Amino acid sequence: MDISTDIWGQLAVEASQVYLSDGTVRSPFADTTIEKLPDKVLLHIFSYLSHREICRLARICRRWRQIAYDTRLWKNVSLRPEISGLHVGSLEMLLQLISVRFGPTLRYIELPIELITHTVLHELSAKCPNLTHMLLDFSTAMQLHDFSEMQAFPTKLRYMCICLSEVIFMEGFMRKIYNFINGLEVLHLIGTYEKCEEEEEEIYEVINVHKLKSATPNLRVINLYGINFIDDSHIDAFSSNCIQLECLAVNFCNKVTGSTLKTLIQRSKRLTCLLMNGTSLKSEFVMQAEWDKCALQELDITATDLSTECLVDMLTRIPSLKFLSAGQINGFNDTVLKQWMEAGTTRSLISLDLDSSDNITDEALLKFLQRHGHQLSACCLSGMPHITDQLWMSVLPLLGNCKIVVMGTAEKLGVNIHVDQLMDTIASSCGNLERLELRWDPDNLRFSDKSQKAIDILRVKCLKLRCMVLSDGRYYETVKANFERADRITVVRTTTCCRVSPYHLLRNYNDLIFN
């Protein structure tokens, strides 16, 4: 939706020309209202609004209604009201929207369980030929609609996300779409990990992964998130059929032990990203994999129970690792860091996340960062009470190329964090910073009347900063007010609703986003 530079140039020139009339200074543009703007400009303004806001604006007047219904504003549509989407009251209304408002320009759609019917899918197939991204949310389903008459399904899908239910078996639906999804490149299967209770419950395999893999031979990215029945046999199934596989994520699939890692590495020659946060990896299985022959560049083994021996064996054998998340692992200690450096396989590293690694000392971290800090784009050393502002003051000058920095712990400390000095050091050392998080408890933050100056310097020098996360408290309010006065109202956020992650640096980050 490009706006001619001539239009903006004309507006700017007219707004700047002033003349005297009756003793007052006026602009010839002063009488111009939004109604006089060209349709193209209004369309561009509307493109920054949510669909809820666009629908409200459609009630203003006939002209705005016509612009609001322009199909170019409806390329990406969510119909899940609980996740900031539109609420559609009936199937008839949705069918009308597909036909009148969405049409050939629709590229992405999210559907809740009540709108996933064979009639809706037929209509999308017929009226939206350029639909490439689809999310189907079955997570709250207690019963599926009848798909026995379904004969059509969108055929150009490249991305599909299915949010699974714990109790609804999907085979009746999946059987109908297998013939239409062989062009898929990105597949998300989202489980109910966040809803799970501690007590043991019966687990159902609600989707047949072994049949699904046969229908999707062109997958590049597979994300199996928080699915309680996913185990190593399912990883083996995908690796046997998806020769294009570049990225495999099985975060929070706690039945994955790594017993098929050796086969996965042998088969998937293009695999560069492997994310296994919160899995039940066993050291003996991990050590059997031929890491020295793999193309792996990005690895997440956070919150696994790997031994020190296993970590040393793996990290010293992966030849060109760029991204490592290995927090919350008791076995990750000074020995691992030292032998990893000595092996020389850290030369490609650009992102390091060692959250809550209490067995690593200040001295070992400082030595590692003195050697490799200059090459890092992300450095996350949070959750460690012994890493205070004193170490960060020494480390930050070494992180001149960092875009992402996470520091601090939510635990109350016996020492205070002098945040003004910290801000000065960040501003002077990390000009490329884009995301920053300070997790320290507000009671541990010490700042003075000169804080505004330190915040001003940070805001002026770190112009690329788009996200700064702080614990809710007086300092958060001070920083937020400062950025809002400079009209950067979306930058400062709280740890209650936001977390900074190095995942932004993953090569397939955009493909891995869901919800």
Side-chain angles (χ1 to χ4, degrees):
M1 211 175 296
D2 295 329
I3 299 298
S4 168
T5 53
D6 294 339
I7 294 176
W8 294 121
Q10 180 184 352
L11 296 179
V13 169
E14 291 183 4
S16 64
Q17 291 174 340
V18 294
Y19 64 96
L20 281 173
S21 174
D22 300 328
T24 59
V25 180
R26 296 186 72 249
S27 164
F29 201 59
D31 294 329
T32 301
T33 62
I34 194 168
E35 286 84 2
K36 295 183 181 180
L37 291 176
D39 286 357
K40 189 183 288 187
V41 175
L42 278 177
L43 186 67
H44 186 72
I45 293 171
F46 280 27
S47 71
Y48 287 93
L49 305 176
S50 70
H51 286 133
R52 287 184 180 181
E53 293 168 323
I54 290 172
C55 289
R56 283 196 288 268
L57 292 179
R59 303 174 185 173
I60 302 297
C61 62
R62 184 176 299 174
R63 182 188 174 211
W64 282 30
R65 183 181 182 86
Q66 184 178 359
I67 294 171
Y69 284 1
D70 191 301
T71 56
R72 285 172 289 182
L73 294 174
W74 298 87
K75 290 181 180 179
N76 305 300
V77 178
S78 171
L79 301 179
R80 298 192 296 165
E82 72 278 7
I83 308 182
S84 303
L86 288 175
H87 172 71
V88 177
S90 66
L91 288 175
E92 291 73 22
M93 184 183 296
L94 175 57
L95 294 174
Q96 185 180 1
L97 286 173
I98 292 172
S99 182
V100 175
R101 201 174 306 180
F102 299 166
T105 59
L106 186 68
R107 299 288 190 276
Y108 177 100
I109 191 167
E110 296 182 1
L111 295 173
I113 176 61
E114 59 270 18
L115 299 179
I116 304 174
T117 68
H118 73 274
T119 310
V120 170
L121 296 173
H122 281 184
E123 195 73 1
L124 286 171
S125 176
K127 300 293 176 60
C128 306
N130 297 311
L131 182 63
T132 56
H133 291 61
M134 177 181 281
L135 184 149
L136 303 175
D137 188 354
F138 296 96
S139 61
T140 58
M142 298 307 293
Q143 184 176 351
L144 288 184
H145 292 280
D146 181 11
F147 294 100
S148 59
E149 297 181 12
M150 191 165 78
Q151 302 296 329
F153 191 79
T155 58
K156 290 188 178 180
L157 291 181
R158 294 293 176 266
Y159 169 110
M160 186 164 73
C161 178
I162 300 177
C163 300
L164 302 174
S165 165
E166 284 185 318
V167 295
I168 297 298
F169 291 90
M170 300 289 298
E171 189 55 28
F173 170 74
M174 297 301 296
R175 193 185 306 119
K176 290 291 185 177
I177 71 171
Y178 284 144
N179 292 333
F180 300 99
I181 60 174
N182 53 20
L184 277 184
E185 296 179 9
V186 179
L187 174 66
H188 293 261
L189 297 180
I190 309 303
T192 54
Y193 168 79
E194 294 176 355
K195 299 179 183 178
C196 285
E197 302 292 338
E198 289 298 323
E199 63 265 16
E200 288 291 329
E201 295 182 359
E202 191 169 356
I203 295 173
Y204 302 102
E205 188 165 338
V206 296
I207 192 168
N208 192 324
V209 171
H210 297 277
K211 289 184 180 179
L212 178 60
K213 63 97 178 180
S214 299
T216 52
N218 297 307
L219 289 176
R220 294 184 299 104
V221 177
I222 300 172
N223 180 24
L224 310 175
Y225 181 90
I227 307 176
N228 52 15
F229 64 82
I230 289 291
D231 59 25
D232 298 278
S233 67
H234 300 109
I235 295 176
D236 186 61
F238 276 120
S239 69
S240 68
N241 195 55
C242 305
I243 60 173
Q244 310 290 337
L245 189 60
E246 298 173 4
C247 174
L248 175 64
V250 289
N251 290 340
F252 307 109
C253 295
N254 55 23
K255 284 196 171 184
V256 171
T257 63
S259 62
T260 57
L261 273 178
K262 182 177 181 179
T263 308
L264 173 69
I265 298 297
Q266 289 173 341
R267 289 172 176 168
S268 305
K269 301 300 183 183
R270 299 187 180 187
L271 186 68
T272 57
C273 179
L274 185 57
L275 309 177
M276 300 182 289
N277 185 343
T279 55
S280 302
L281 294 179
K282 295 187 181 299
S283 297
E284 58 267 29
F285 294 146
V286 173
M287 293 173 71
Q288 290 172 7
E290 297 175 331
W291 299 107
D292 50 333
K293 298 179 182 179
C294 72
L296 202 65
Q297 297 180 358
E298 299 163 342
L299 178 66
D300 186 353
I301 49 174
T302 301
T304 54
D305 197 23
L306 298 179
S307 66
T308 300
E309 181 188 8
C310 175
L311 291 167
V312 169
D313 177 77
M314 177 172 55
L315 294 177
T316 56
R317 286 199 288 150
I318 301 176
S320 54
L321 192 63
K322 292 183 176 181
F323 177 103
L324 177 66
S325 285
Q328 304 172 45
I329 303 178
N330 289 330
F332 206 114
N333 53 28
D334 293 2
T335 302
V336 177
L337 276 183
K338 181 181 178 182
Q339 295 196 31
W340 189 21
M341 278 195 295
E342 291 175 351
T345 52
T346 52
R347 58 185 176 274
S348 303
L349 191 69
I350 63 168
S351 175
L352 180 65
D353 182 357
L354 297 177
D355 175 62
S356 302
S357 297
D358 293 329
N359 294 327
I360 302 177
T361 63
D362 301 26
E363 293 77 14
L365 278 173
L366 183 59
K367 189 173 182 179
F368 185 89
L369 292 173
Q370 283 173 338
R371 180 180 296 188
H372 299 292
H374 67 280
Q375 67 194 52
L376 294 182
S377 295
C379 182
C380 304
L381 303 177
S382 53
M384 293 182 272
H386 61 287
I387 306 297
T388 64
D389 54 333
Q390 297 304 313
L391 179 67
W392 277 107
M393 299 285 280
S394 304
V395 164
L396 285 167
L398 308 172
L399 304 177
N401 294 315
C402 256
K403 298 178 180 179
I404 299 172
V405 174
V406 182
M407 60 179 75
T409 176
E411 296 179 39
K412 286 199 174 184
L413 305 178
V415 296
N416 293 323
I417 305 300
H418 299 281
V419 70
D420 290 346
Q421 298 174 23
L422 202 55
M423 290 298 153
D424 282 336
T425 309
I426 292 172
S428 60
S429 304
C430 306
N432 295 317
L433 197 61
E434 296 178 6
R435 292 176 171 85
L436 171 66
E437 180 173 357
L438 277 65
R439 294 184 183 172
W440 282 296
D441 186 281
D443 291 340
N444 286 123
L445 297 180
R446 289 293 173 267
F447 54 98
S448 65
D449 296 336
K450 297 181 180 179
S451 287
Q452 291 292 353
K453 182 179 179 181
I455 299 167
D456 285 339
I457 294 172
L458 176 74
R459 177 171 45 76
V460 171
K461 289 196 174 183
C462 298
L463 294 175
K464 297 179 182 179
L465 188 64
R466 63 179 71 177
C467 177
M468 182 175 178
V469 181
L470 301 164
S471 297
D472 198 357
R474 282 181 55 220
Y475 189 70
Y476 160 76
E477 296 295 344
T478 302
V479 177
K480 183 175 175 62
N482 185 293
F483 273 77
E484 286 179 347
R485 284 195 296 272
D487 203 25
R488 294 173 67 181
I489 58 177
T490 63
V491 173
V492 184
R493 310 166 195 185
T494 70
T495 52
T496 306
C497 58
C498 186
R499 276 286 190 268
V500 170
S501 166
Y503 268 34
H504 293 280
L505 296 179
L506 292 176
R507 179 183 172 191
N508 296 105
Y509 173 73
N510 289 330
D511 292 326
L512 287 167
I513 296 174
F514 62 93
N515 276 348

